[in-house]
Amino acid sequence: ELKVEQNPLFLSMQEGKNYTIYCNYSTTSDRLYWYRQDPGKSLESLFVLLSNGAVKQEGRLMASLDTKARLSTLHITAAVHDLSATYFCAVDRLGGADGLTFGKGTHLIIQP
Amino acid sequence: EPEVTQTPSHQVTQMGQEVILRCVPISNHLYFYWYRQILGQKVEFLVSFYNNEISEKSEIFDDQFSVERPDGSNFTLKIRSTKLEDSAMYFCASSPGTGPETQYFGPGTRLLVL
């Protein structure tokens, strides 16, 4: 059974600070996805990481993937209030129209 | 920008009733999915659909659930006899199907079973 674990599950931080969210998964996969969800809203795709060592950046968010360690990180630089949301990582098994297995999500609150 | 749409946005039903949730995937996408999210919990995969048949389904997707693509645009999820524990947000998603790609999620249907 594929398991995806995120930590921390809750994070309260101040604007301007840096922090990292971790995502571990239990099986061989080289496809890792990060999504953002605002309260009561749908999931917005942030990053798709498709190979070992992949690094992608968008604004204050940077995601990386280490397939050997089965670990992805989402790093937040100089956080701003607008980044407050729940962040999910997800993994799919190799090949086909696979459903994604999501982590429990990291509920991020950024305080002014 | 193309997006996945879902109707209705909210549905309240009585236990034991049938519900049909509707989705219009992005027009040139080939893979379609249903997920659910019980309030405050993680998103759970239900089923994937490709080439007019189920590609993969999870343990949650039992005989009470079915999916259909009745025409060239709609993709539906039917729950035959709803239970209290079916109360959740149901998300439809689609992906282009040319490789490992982002799945684009719709806004969701919030289902409440009383």
Side-chain angles (χ1 to χ4, degrees), chain B residues 1 4 10 18 34 36 44 48 71 83-84 86 93 114:
Chain B
E1 182 175 337
V4 177
H10 295 79
E18 175 183 286
W34 283 102
R36 78 173 186 190
E44 299 174 294
S48 61
D71 53 43
K83 304 170 189 162
L84 296 176
D86 292 328
L114 302 176

Side-chain angles (χ1 to χ4, degrees), chain A residues 61-75:
Chain A
L61 300 178
M62 183 174 71
S64 66
L65 177 62
D66 181 345
T67 58
K68 294 179 181 178
R70 299 179 184 173
L71 171 68
S72 180
T73 61
L74 180 66
H75 186 73

Side-chain angles (χ1 to χ4, degrees), chain A residues 34-91:
Chain A
W34 284 98
Y35 285 86
R36 168 182 172 150
Q37 185 179 40
D38 291 300
K41 303 294 185 181
S42 186
L43 290 95
E44 174 192 354
S45 175
L46 295 175
F47 301 108
V48 181
L49 303 169
L50 299 177
S51 61
N52 186 41
V55 177
K56 290 194 174 180
Q57 182 163 5
E58 180 73 32
R60 300 175 188 273
L61 300 178
M62 183 174 71
S64 66
L65 177 62
D66 181 345
T67 58
K68 294 179 181 178
R70 299 179 184 173
L71 171 68
S72 180
T73 61
L74 180 66
H75 186 73
I76 303 157
T77 302
V80 293
H81 178 68
D82 287 351
L83 291 178
S84 297
T86 299
Y87 293 85
F88 291 95
C89 65
V91 178

Side-chain angles (χ1 to χ4, degrees), chain B residues 2-3 6 15 17-18 52-53 70 73 79 91 96 100 109:
Chain B
E3 57 184 20
Q6 291 184 242
M15 188 171 56
Q17 294 297 304
E18 175 183 286
N52 285 320
E53 61 183 22
S73 59
I79 309 175
F91 292 108
T109 294

